Amino acid sequence: MSSRPPLDPAPAERLALEHVLSTADNIVDDPPTPFPEYARELVGRTEWRFWWD
């Protein structure tokens, strides 16, 4: 079971993968954000925003 919010890199990477798979290009393309950087930014965060075109 993962903590909420993710407190370690591995759960943050799993969450980041879920984000990329559900929102595709919005995460890493606008603005361009490398996946590892995006995952690191999720550690400790309690909310995030998505949009669909």
Side-chain angles (χ1 to χ4, degrees):
M1 182 172 180
S2 297
S3 59
R4 303 288 190 250
L7 301 175
D8 298 306
E13 288 175 5
R14 283 191 297 272
L15 180 60
L17 181 58
E18 290 176 16
H19 290 181
V20 169
L21 293 173
S22 64
T23 62
D25 61 346
N26 291 346
I27 298 296
V28 293
D29 291 342
D30 190 19
T33 306
F35 181 84
E37 180 181 329
Y38 179 74
R40 282 191 304 272
E41 291 173 357
L42 292 176
V43 173
R45 286 186 57 188
T46 58
E47 65 179 54
W48 41 85
R49 300 185 190 278
F50 299 109
W51 69 94
W52 286 264
D53 294 334

